[in-house]
Amino acid sequence: HEVVLATVEREALLADGTTYRFWTFNGLIPGPFIRIMVGDTVDVVLQNPTDSLFIHSVDLHAVTGPGGGAVSTQTLPGHQTGFSFKALQPGLFVYHCATPMVAQHISNGMYGLILVEPVGGLPEVDHEFYVMQGELYTNRPYGAKGQQDFSVEKLLDEQPEYFTFNGAVNALNRLPLRAEVGDSVRIFFGVGGPNKASSFHVIGEIFDRVYHEGSVTAEPLTDIHVTSVPSGGSVIVEFTVEVPGEYVLVDHALSRVERGLSGTLIVTGEPNPEIYDGEVLMPAGH
């Protein structure tokens, strides 16, 4: 495989009335979802556009080798680097920029997931979704309008102003995940960080299977309601949706909802009163 990653720096929406100059892979947060098989050889190409202001690189946790590839991809603006690796072990792995200050590059949006599937692949499901949690350290407080700038002091104190799923406040509410009653759902979830762990939970659902810490060779845990994911870590969760409605994705450190961290899975279809029978009076959660 050839994987081409461009380290695009761009101003984009952070929240309503608020923008931020993000650093990205291919203009996306999270970066592109990379999917390969165990035993595959991958050629990684890192391109840093001429209009970038900073050096960038990539460290893939799926790589066995120095720096996860970062030692071979410290790339100046206007230049291109690369390396090859063989995927020796299956699993779901984080990748991120690893140029000093590494935590700043990650916080600004330079993270993604790479899935190394086991022999035979993962079982089929009806829907697969890609969700990553991150945090931003801005010079002005949460909710301030206009362009926000990075605060190194808040980063070093580990005091983020914003928590996000997929790069922006309400990103997964403006563009929610969708499924039909009876569908099987798989979420590839990771935490870019750079500092805070997640207690991942979908309000109103119980995970049928949890591939803890991204392992696809260990037996999955079953019947899990909240799963812990460290910074720089990952998990795969699977469940079947049996009742229509809106299901909210959260980190169960629930104060973070007030700083932007929530998403929505909309399930449509016929009611199932044998499983849930009640009038929807107002949004709520637990």
Side-chain angles (χ1 to χ4, degrees), residues 30-65:
F33 189 81
I34 303 169
R35 192 168 195 156
I36 61 175
M37 296 288 291
V38 66
D40 285 351
T41 296
V42 182
D43 296 325
V44 178
V45 178
L46 193 74
Q47 300 171 341
N48 196 348
T50 56
D51 61 355
S52 290
L53 301 179
F54 298 92
I55 300 172
H56 297 295
S57 61
V58 63
D59 165 8
L60 299 103
H61 289 191
V63 170
T64 301

Side-chain angles (χ1 to χ4, degrees), residues 44-233:
V44 178
V45 178
L46 193 74
Q47 300 171 341
N48 196 348
T50 56
D51 61 355
S52 290
L53 301 179
F54 298 92
I55 300 172
H56 297 295
S57 61
V58 63
D59 165 8
L60 299 103
H61 289 191
V63 170
T64 301
V71 298
S72 300
T73 55
Q74 298 295 330
T75 311
L76 292 165
H79 289 74
Q80 174 177 301
T81 60
F83 69 99
S84 295
F85 77 96
K86 185 173 183 177
L88 299 181
Q89 292 164 293
L92 181 65
F93 302 92
V94 168
Y95 68 86
H96 59 84
C97 185
T99 299
M101 176 190 303
V102 177
Q104 179 183 8
H105 286 250
I106 295 173
S107 175
N108 282 351
M110 302 192 78
Y111 50 82
L113 289 177
I114 175 171
L115 173 66
V116 183
E117 294 203 60
V119 174
L122 296 177
E124 290 189 8
V125 293
D126 294 310
H127 301 281
E128 292 183 328
F129 299 113
Y130 175 28
V131 179
M132 289 196 76
Q133 180 170 322
E135 66 221 34
L136 279 165
Y137 299 82
T138 57
N139 62 325
R140 292 192 292 156
Y142 178 88
K145 302 303 181 182
Q147 182 176 343
Q148 290 271 28
D149 295 318
F150 170 73
S151 169
V152 66
E153 292 82 8
K154 290 178 183 176
L155 174 70
L156 295 178
D157 289 339
E158 299 187 13
Q159 296 294 325
E161 292 290 343
Y162 291 82
F163 288 90
T164 64
F165 287 141
N166 289 12
V169 173
N170 289 323
L172 296 183
N173 294 320
R174 291 192 301 271
L175 295 172
L177 315 181
R178 296 183 181 273
E180 295 283 331
V181 168
D183 286 349
S184 54
V185 171
R186 174 182 291 139
I187 299 177
F188 298 107
F189 181 78
V191 178
N195 295 315
K196 305 296 185 180
S198 177
S199 300
F200 184 55
H201 176 56
V202 178
I203 298 174
E205 265 299 342
I206 299 167
F207 303 139
D208 299 328
R209 289 168 298 281
V210 171
Y211 297 84
H212 188 55
E213 296 190 355
S215 173
V216 295
T217 52
E219 284 295 316
L221 302 173
T222 57
D223 306 322
I224 302 297
H225 62 116
V226 177
T227 185
S228 298
V229 187
S231 180

